[in-house]
Amino acid sequence: SRRLGILAGLRVEETETMGNGPVNKSVNPAEAARRAAFVGTLTEEEIKRRAYYDWGSRTHAEGKYRNVFPGIHFKYAHASGLLARTSYSTSIGRPGIASIIPSLTVNEPGERVTVNNAGLKPQRSNNFDVSLEYYFEPTGLLSMGFFLKEVSDFIYTDSSRFVGTGPSNGFDGQYEGYAITTSANGGSARYRGFEVNYQQQFTFLPGFWRGFGLNINYTQLETKGDYGGIIATTKVAGFRPRTGNISLNYRMGKYEVRLQTNWLDTYLTTVSTNAALLAYAAPRTMTNAKFTYNFGRGTSVYFNWDNVFREPEVNNWRGYRDRVANVRMVYPSIAAGLQGRF
């Protein structure tokens, strides 16, 4: 049938990695005292707390892997404007470059070492998707999609380990009992959920009102993961269980005004073997406003007002909501300028 389309394929990728980075080791107390002499007289306790590092050491790591990605996609289009899609695909999510460059950073006051995991593997995923889309006049779309992702070797932030004792603890016998923060590959994970989307330009309305448009979308998912060990939760860190966006725009002649609001629900950011140390990000609602005036021939002026209501960019807590870990405020920002295309 002309209304049914089928696309199948196979993709092969080969990846090679190589990296060099610093090993930032604390110097011994005698050396710390010698360096402290350059900045004034310090007490023994201040010298002990002070962070002095030897920046001369380097480390090297490299790796190589090959992946094969099969996939098949079906699409059915009905004359009424209804479009149905279903697909199966495979993919990988490679770790960020910054997370695999070998490095070690020590926070002595907080008794924590942060270690990049140069051996971090990509996470692999089998993806199943089903969606329905309905296009209607004038300029409208209503869609709903369901998804299931089966993931292996998923990447997460691990704060469950501590530095051991003795000269072979991996840190030349230093930092005994310090907490370790690093990235790791888990066992397996499952993400499933749905998303809905509505878009409409109200050009059918009379006069002033025909310039308005509305875009609303909402996503909900649930996760379950096996971290390959004893972890205090089966939720997968880094995935937001509920998110929503709403955008109201107005276009008329050379003017365009847009008001956008993004909402993120509470989500897990860091896992641990101790439930009291599980880290979460608090809900966040951020609003931005944009104004554009087009002179024509690719030239326009713009005025952007981001984070109108001064919402914190980061607001994390551990174990319980009243145990605030850190808050990072971001002031509203205003940007204006002239742009053109030639």
Side-chain angles (χ1 to χ4, degrees):
S1 172
R2 294 181 180 178
R3 295 177 178 175
L4 176 64
I6 302 175
L7 175 65
L10 185 70
R11 190 175 79 256
V12 179
E13 294 184 4
E14 185 167 302
T15 304
E16 297 184 12
T17 62
M18 181 180 66
N20 295 282
V23 176
N24 306 323
K25 298 180 180 180
S26 293
V27 301
N28 58 52
E31 177 65 12
R34 186 186 69 80
R35 297 186 184 186
F38 289 100
V39 294
T41 302
L42 302 177
T43 66
E44 291 186 4
E45 184 62 27
E46 288 171 329
I47 292 173
K48 184 179 179 180
R49 293 200 313 265
R50 201 172 181 87
Y52 292 98
Y53 302 108
D54 178 4
W55 298 88
S57 301
R58 305 284 291 178
T59 185
H60 172 84
E62 57 185 65
K64 180 179 179 180
Y65 53 88
R66 178 181 298 167
N67 299 99
V68 179
F69 306 103
I72 185 167
H73 310 269
F74 299 88
K75 181 178 72 173
Y76 179 80
H78 193 268
S80 64
L82 183 67
L83 183 66
R85 304 177 191 266
T86 183
S87 67
Y88 163 75
S89 63
T90 55
S91 61
I92 62 172
R94 294 183 177 85
I97 293 295
S99 64
I100 61 175
I101 295 177
S103 72
L104 167 66
T105 301
V106 181
N107 179 355
E108 288 193 342
E111 296 190 350
R112 178 173 297 275
V113 294
T114 301
V115 186
N116 277 4
N117 184 357
L120 203 60
K121 298 181 294 183
Q123 55 187 21
R124 296 169 173 81
S125 175
N126 291 311
N127 313 304
F128 304 86
D129 297 274
V130 177
S131 67
L132 291 174
E133 304 169 11
Y134 179 65
Y135 296 85
F136 51 91
E137 296 294 340
T139 321
L141 167 65
L142 178 63
S143 66
M144 174 174 285
F146 300 88
F147 55 87
L148 169 65
K149 299 182 184 297
E150 300 280 357
V151 181
S152 59
D153 293 328
F154 72 92
I155 298 171
Y156 69 99
T157 301
D158 183 10
S159 297
S160 63
R161 293 181 290 167
F162 295 86
V163 179
T165 60
S168 60
N169 67 354
F171 300 92
D172 296 332
Q174 302 182 80
Y175 320 123
E176 293 184 3
Y178 280 31
I180 300 175
T181 295
T182 188
S183 297
N185 291 103
S188 61
R190 168 181 287 183
Y191 320 137
R192 60 183 178 185
F194 69 91
E195 53 189 359
V196 293
N197 179 43
Y198 168 70
Q199 300 177 31
Q200 178 74 72
Q201 289 296 134
F202 300 105
T203 55
F204 56 88
L205 295 178
F208 168 80
W209 302 102
R210 64 182 288 112
F212 281 101
L214 183 64
N215 186 351
I216 302 173
N217 62 68
Y218 173 80
T219 302
Q220 181 171 315
L221 61 85
E222 61 179 22
T223 64
K224 185 176 182 179
D226 171 15
Y227 291 87
I230 302 175
I231 298 293
T233 181
T234 59
K235 293 181 180 180
V236 180
F239 286 85
R240 299 168 173 86
R242 294 188 297 171
T243 63
N245 297 276
I246 181 169
S247 175
L248 179 65
N249 66 80
Y250 183 80
R251 301 174 183 173
M252 187 62 70
K254 298 181 178 182
Y255 296 92
E256 181 177 351
V257 181
R258 185 179 300 272
L259 188 66
Q260 301 171 309
T261 297
N262 166 253
W263 171 74
L264 304 175
D265 197 8
T266 300
Y267 71 98
L268 181 70
T269 61
T270 305
V271 300
S272 174
T273 55
N274 186 344
L277 297 180
L278 294 175
Y280 295 86
R284 189 194 73 183
T285 302
M286 187 169 290
T287 300
N288 302 322
K290 304 179 184 295
F291 170 81
T292 304
Y293 178 80
N294 297 297
F295 292 104
R297 296 185 179 181
T299 304
S300 62
V301 294
Y302 65 90
F303 178 89
N304 297 340
W305 185 4
D306 294 333
N307 196 11
V308 175
F309 301 108
R310 197 186 175 189
E311 185 77 3
E313 184 178 70
V314 176
N315 186 3
N316 295 340
W317 47 276
R318 291 186 179 273
Y320 308 95
R321 289 183 181 271
D322 56 351
R323 293 181 58 203
V324 177
N326 61 79
V327 177
R328 185 167 69 205
M329 301 297 298
V330 178
Y331 287 92
S333 64
I334 294 176
L338 173 68
Q339 60 185 7
R341 298 177 181 176
F342 306 97

